[in-house]
Amino acid sequence: MTGYIEDITFLNEKAIKFGNETLEAILVPVLGSNLLSFKFKQNDIELLRTPKTLEDYREVPILYGMPILFPPNRIEGGQFTYKQITYKFPINEIEKSNHIHGLLYDKPWQVIKREVNGEKIVITTEFLSSDFPFLKRYFPHDFTINMTFSLNDNALDVQLEIINNGQEPFPWGVGYHTIFNFPFVPSSKLMDCRISLPVNKQWELNDRSLPTGKIQATPNTMEIQNGFSIEGRQFDDIFGYDEDLENECVLTDQEAGLQVCYHGDDHFKFWVLFNQKGFVCPEPYTWVTNAPNLDLSAELTGLRELGPGERVRLKTKLSLKQI
């Protein structure tokens, strides 16, 4: 069976359904270029938390699909200064006086490429900051971000490209707030499911969910690396790694007979783990929460700079394995 791309309506918006013999996904460009459905077709298993209605999505858009975070997680007081430029983001976590989740996850993106080559499907969406002049009050730079989704066999590769179109360098950090249904099927018990993370460090957080700057060894490191149950445990924690580990989060549901591997390239040095009833959110980040405000080296925080005319490409992959 060759791959396919279809134009559909999803949540009353124009969307793209694409798939092959194994997998099917729904991408909604106008809703933050969000992959709002990712399905294992053989057993009709929906892997991502998918909204039933547009109203559900609008209520908490960050809790569905795979929202892009630019910048990721929280900014203390909504602002930081970098090379004499002060960046002021809206305070949207009122109770903690933080900015959270960045500027792009709910903005419309444009489709600039779509092609089927046998079983391989490639779709690219683009965000131009110049189309949204009001963003300059928060992030005073001209930039382009492209997302390329490549579906082939049992895997979805996602490449993110950030381009600095301006005359000044800018600091950047990015992540994904990927929300998996977990367990994958209703008949499974959470206590029998496992998640592993490639981490060995944990960042201490204060009461505003911001890093204090203190980093400690991860409790039960081998358990986290080999797989553990989140039954009865609540996470909203930041982890990192500083050893030669395969940068891959693995989610296993034995009852469903399915394992999902979530791989990040070397740019993604941090993982946030967040969960609530019915879902888990392993979040790969290039910088740690509130990185520009931490009095620590860029090597520790992941803070990076993109010069004028420069571009950077980041890669993640979701692959499925039957067990």
Side-chain angles (χ1 to χ4, degrees), residues 65-259:
M66 194 177 76
I68 177 177
L69 309 180
F70 180 85
N73 212 290
R74 296 171 170 86
I75 300 294
E76 181 179 8
Q79 70 177 54
F80 63 84
T81 299
Y82 183 83
K83 290 193 172 179
Q84 287 75 57
I85 296 177
T86 297
Y87 298 78
K88 294 185 177 181
F89 297 85
I91 302 294
N92 55 2
E93 189 181 37
I94 306 300
E95 68 278 11
K96 294 182 179 179
S97 192
N98 296 320
H99 170 77
I100 189 169
H101 296 142
L103 303 171
L104 305 187
Y105 70 88
D106 58 351
K107 305 294 186 298
W109 295 49
Q110 302 297 320
V111 179
I112 62 171
K113 179 180 180 179
R114 46 188 288 171
E115 65 181 33
V116 179
N117 184 6
E119 288 195 3
K120 185 175 181 180
I121 299 146
V122 178
I123 299 172
T124 301
T125 58
E126 181 175 72
F127 183 91
L128 297 173
S129 66
S130 57
D131 289 342
F132 302 86
F134 71 91
L135 289 180
K136 285 283 182 73
R137 75 183 74 161
Y138 311 127
F139 194 82
H141 301 281
D142 185 10
F143 63 91
T144 299
I145 298 185
N146 295 320
M147 290 184 74
T148 298
F149 301 85
S150 302
L151 185 70
N152 193 18
D153 195 17
N154 68 337
L156 177 73
D157 289 273
V158 181
Q159 176 180 278
L160 186 74
E161 181 180 55
I162 308 170
I163 306 166
N164 184 348
N165 301 320
Q167 302 302 312
E168 301 291 335
F170 62 68
W172 67 271
V174 72
Y176 295 104
H177 202 265
T178 312
I179 307 286
F180 291 97
N181 289 319
F182 202 62
F184 296 140
V185 295
S187 60
S188 298
K189 292 183 173 65
L190 184 59
M191 64 185 297
D192 297 328
C193 296
R194 295 292 182 268
I195 181 170
S196 68
L197 290 168
V199 299
N200 66 342
K201 301 292 182 184
Q202 185 166 0
W203 290 68
E204 181 183 76
L205 303 179
N206 62 21
D207 58 3
R208 293 170 66 185
S209 301
L210 300 168
T212 64
K214 183 179 178 181
I215 309 169
Q216 57 201 22
T218 306
N220 305 315
T221 297
M222 295 309 297
E223 180 192 26
I224 289 180
Q225 291 181 6
N226 292 328
F228 66 101
S229 170
I230 59 173
E231 172 73 22
R233 303 167 74 174
Q234 182 69 51
F235 289 91
D236 192 0
D237 297 280
I238 304 171
F239 300 96
Y241 66 95
D242 59 5
E243 59 183 46
D244 188 20
L245 298 169
E246 179 72 16
N247 194 25
E248 193 168 75
C249 168
V250 180
L251 300 102
T252 304
D253 183 337
Q254 291 285 351
E255 178 70 22
L258 204 59
Q259 189 173 74

